[in-house]
Structure formats: structure tokens, C-alpha cells
DNA sequence: ACGACTTTGTGAAGGGAGGCACAAAGTTGC
DNA sequence: GCAACTTTGTGCCTCCCTTCACAAAGTCGT
């Protein structure tokens, strides 16, 4: 189900162009998957297509948004105001997709109080109040690797159940908590692996 | 094989602590995988373990680094000097892992020439020379979604075969080119999906 | 109203990755 | 030197995901 967001984005693009109906073949091409896979994915949500015609763009987008829980705003907090944290705080893509950054936090008292992208950086101790009062549900970890587990523990202790981790470490969490990882250096190393395979292949059969 | 970088990082941490030998069980725990999976992964590289003892930390790290092609430096160029591009340019994690950012590029003539993190931003036209002269092999796309495909085409035309894409679009490339995607909003939407499932589950059986 | 055509939804087959469990191999103690 | 113990490497089984292929269902032209 990790592909639903991609479909949703493709549908949004189609809607912007004024398209009203789309076939599985076209949508699959726009999303970069096979049409069979797309139809099977969509069939798990229910039968929202019309045989002989295709899918109604607006209707399908709305169904996917509902399935993903994007009909409500999701409050997000960013922990760690280093380079990456500040870049994320300035990133506009969050709000556009229904994610509201309600707090920026840092463990370092010298950073707390500073203004970043128009918000005052808050101390970690505020977390519990944010979960209780603002319904904070998603935490983003942008700390250095050494403090990532500590930041994660604080989020979990405060009641956050969804964590997006940018630090290059494996986090340990209770079963009820979901962690997704975004790992720059891993991605680059995988590219290096492919780059090397290419180089080797060319050396063997130039 | 996307797990090798994680193993490598766990091994580096062990080496820092002065550990010389590690069992599959311990290393698997540190990397967040099962020991059987770890052993199977490592067996694909060759037999570098000693039965009854475990793996030599330094030896294994070196073997993995070789397999990943990390014995050489990989020149990287970042395309798109918006918020994200500047954050990536300032990020120190690249150099630490053998990736050298040799160029920052932008399509906009008003940005070209500006200094970002100590480097002068260069025009897209410089790409071919970078591939030829500096052995540029990996391109990072940090442009807005509208110009991502254009940036990607320019990289491919210049001879870059590995692309890391931060823009939330599906890129079309020739077969010989490998694209990896890092997609913030997709990750957040997946977390929202889990968050909603949790909320629904609690509403049904509180 | 009917037949030709298009496109969905799904059953069945195929493939790959993960986990289990055990034999092989090496170590340690006596 | 031998036996008990530890840990790797791997054959087998299972399960999930993907792909193929086609029947069902709906549209459109006449």
C-alpha cells in the first residue's frame, strides 16, 4: 500500500490538467507501475472504476485520500534543529499535503527559544503537552545519530505512535509504534553499488 | 542487497567500540534484521565467517565496502539550489562516507554564481565537462517537481547513470540509468495511514 | 435494441524473499 | 586427542507479491 500516495499525486496532476476520467493503463504509466498492479491495488479499496471507461479522477482521488486518512490534518513535530531540521522546517511540501508542522524542538537549551522559520524552538519537555493539547501524532527525527534513539524514546513516551527517522541509525521502539526511515547515505551507497556494477560490466565487455 | 549499507554502519559502530569479532546474532540485532537473513545476505558475498566464532569486524566491513564499491570516492553533483538543495550542500554526511560533492548546479541564471556552502553555483551547461573531467557519476535532484524531469534529462544526456531524486515525481529514464527516490510526502502519508488505522482500531476496541 | 468494442476486476500461475532447522566446521576444555 | 559446545552456511518450506490472461460488465454507434 506504499504506492497509494504515488497514485494520489498522479491523480492530482491529472485533475490539474482538467482530465475527468483515466484508464488503468494511463494512470499506471503516470505512476510508473504496471496496469495490472494498479488495478489490483485499487480493487483492494473497492470497485470505483467503470468497465469500458476507466476511473473518475476526482472520485478516485477522494477515495484514496480517505483510505490514507488524509481527510484530516495531521499535526507534525520536528525534533532536532541542525542543518536538516531547519531545512525541513522551511520546507513547504508539508502543508500542501495536509501535514501541519506545529512544533520545532531541540534538546539543546542554547537552541531552545531561537526563531526558526517563524516559530520559536521549544524544549523536549513540551512534547507531552503537544500530544495532549494539539493532538500531535507524527514525530520527525532530524537529530544527529547519537541522540536519535533518545529523541525517539521521548516521542514515544509522550504518546507519539508514528515516527519518521532521518538519522542513520536503527531505532528500537515498542510494537505499537511505526517507524519509517529516510536514509541519505544508504541511498547513495546503493547508487555506488550500481555504479560499480556498471563499471565492472564495461570493463568485461566494453 | 539494500541492507548492506546498514550492516556496514553497524560494523563501523562496533569497530569504534573496539570490538574485533561479532556473531551473526549480535550484528543482526544491531542492524535490526533476523540472524538468518543476515547470514544469507553475507553468504552471497562469500564465506567470511568462522564457524564457532563469528565474523571479524574489520575484515567483514572491508569486504562489504568492496562489494558496494566504496573503496573509491564517488563524485556527486547536486542540481537545484532551493531550500533542500542548500541543506544537502551543507550536509556533512556525504564526505564521511566517501561521497564528494564536486558541484552545485542550478538552471536559474540569477542563482548561478552565488556562493553556497563555500562553492560557486554553476550552470547546467557545465555538466558534460564535470562528467568528462571529474568523473561525475551520481546526480542528486533537489529541484521543484516541475523541473525534475528536465534536470534528470540533462544529467542523463551528460552521461550520469545514477540519480537520487528528491522531487515528488516519477522520473522517466533509459534502462541503463538507475534512479532511487527519497520522497518525504509519501513517507508522511504512509505514516498517516498507520495513524488512521490505529485510531480506527481504538475506536472499535478501546 | 443489439452487436462490437473497451476496460475493469479477479482467478491462477510464477517467482522471490524470509524463516526454520540442521549438518558441517571450527573452538575450547580436559 | 577427543568430546562437548558454539556458530556458520544452506536446503527446504511457506507466504506474499507480481504478472498473465480472461470473463464480466459497461459504453457507443447504428
Amino acid at each position: 500500500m506504499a504506492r497509494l500516495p504515488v497514485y494520489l499525486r498522479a491523480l492530482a496532476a491529472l485533475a490539474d490538467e482538467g482530465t475527468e476520467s483515466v484508464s488503468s493503463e494511463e494512470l499506471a504509466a503516470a505512476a510508473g507501475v504496471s496496469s495490472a498492479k494498479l488495478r489490483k491495488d485499487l480493487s483492494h479499496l473497492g470497485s470505483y472504476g467503470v468497465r469500458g471507461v476507466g476511473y473518475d479522477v476526482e472520485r478516485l482521488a477522494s477515495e484514496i485520500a480517505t483510505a490514507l486518512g488524509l481527510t484530516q490534518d495531521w499535526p507534525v513535530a520536528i525534533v532536532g534543529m541542525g542543518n536538516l531540521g531547519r531545512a525541513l522546517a522551511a520546507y513547504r511540501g508539508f502543508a500542501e499535503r495536509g501535514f501541519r508542522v506545529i512544533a520545532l524542538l531541540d534538546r539543546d537549551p542554547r537552541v531552545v527559544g531561537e526563531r526558526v522559520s517563524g516559530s520559536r524552538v521549544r524544549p523536549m519537555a513540551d512534547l507531552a503537552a503537544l500530544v495532549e493539547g494539539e493532538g500531535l501524532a507524527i514525530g520527525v527525527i532530524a537529530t544527529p545519530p547519537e541522540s536519535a534513539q533518545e529523541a525517539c524514546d521521548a516521542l514515544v513516551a509522550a504518546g507519539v505512535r508514528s515516527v519518521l527517522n532521518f538519522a542513520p541509525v536503527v531505532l528500537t521502539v515498542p510494537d505499537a509504534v511505526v517507524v519509517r526511515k529516510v536514509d541519505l547515505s544508504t541511498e547513495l551507497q546503493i547508487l555506488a553499488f550500481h555504479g560499480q556494477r556498471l563499471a565492472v560490466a564495461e570493463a568485461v565487455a566494453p
Side-chain angles (χ1 to χ4, degrees), chain A:
Chain A
M1 299 302 131
R3 286 184 297 267
L4 287 180
V6 181
Y7 301 159
L8 189 55
R9 199 148 54 211
L11 285 167
L14 287 168
D16 280 352
E17 292 170 12
T19 315
E20 292 188 353
S21 180
V22 65
S23 74
S24 64
E25 206 79 42
E26 293 168 303
L27 184 54
V33 301
S34 77
S35 67
K37 201 190 295 189
L38 178 113
R39 285 201 303 275
K40 189 148 284 187
D41 286 344
L42 295 186
S43 74
H44 288 301
L45 301 180
S47 285
Y48 300 123
V50 179
R51 299 176 189 222
V53 176
Y55 299 88
D56 181 275
V57 171
E58 212 155 318
R59 171 86 192 286
L60 185 55
S62 143
E63 292 295 343
I64 293 181
T66 303
L68 286 174
L70 299 181
T71 49
Q72 55 180 297
D73 258 29
W74 288 90
V76 172
I78 303 176
V79 181
M81 284 298 117
N83 266 326
L84 180 59
R86 286 162 203 265
L88 290 174
Y91 181 56
R92 305 211 151 86
F94 288 126
E96 285 169 21
R97 305 197 180 276
F99 297 93
R100 203 155 37 90
V101 177
I102 59 161
L104 309 175
L105 300 103
D106 203 290
R107 161 180 95 160
D108 187 341
R110 286 168 302 181
V111 176
V112 170
E114 214 179 292
R115 291 199 85 79
V116 172
S117 297
S119 306
R120 201 179 57 84
V121 177
R122 306 173 64 161
M124 298 298 287
D126 284 14
L127 266 178
L130 288 166
V131 172
E132 275 304 311
E134 311 258 3
L136 172 63
I138 299 179
V140 175
I141 297 182
T143 66
E146 313 83 75
S147 25
Q149 183 65 55
E150 179 188 325
C152 180
D153 292 344
L155 284 167
V156 171
V160 173
R161 296 265 184 56
S162 301
V163 174
L164 182 56
N165 177 30
F166 283 85
V169 289
V170 177
L171 295 176
T172 306
V173 293
D175 284 350
V177 179
V178 177
V179 176
R180 306 269 320 171
K181 196 177 68 174
V182 174
D183 190 334
L184 272 193
S185 39
T186 294
E187 294 298 331
L188 281 172
Q189 288 176 0
I190 293 172
L191 286 176
F193 173 69
H194 286 295
Q196 191 192 229
R197 282 180 68 90
L198 273 175
V200 170
E202 274 174 20
V204 171

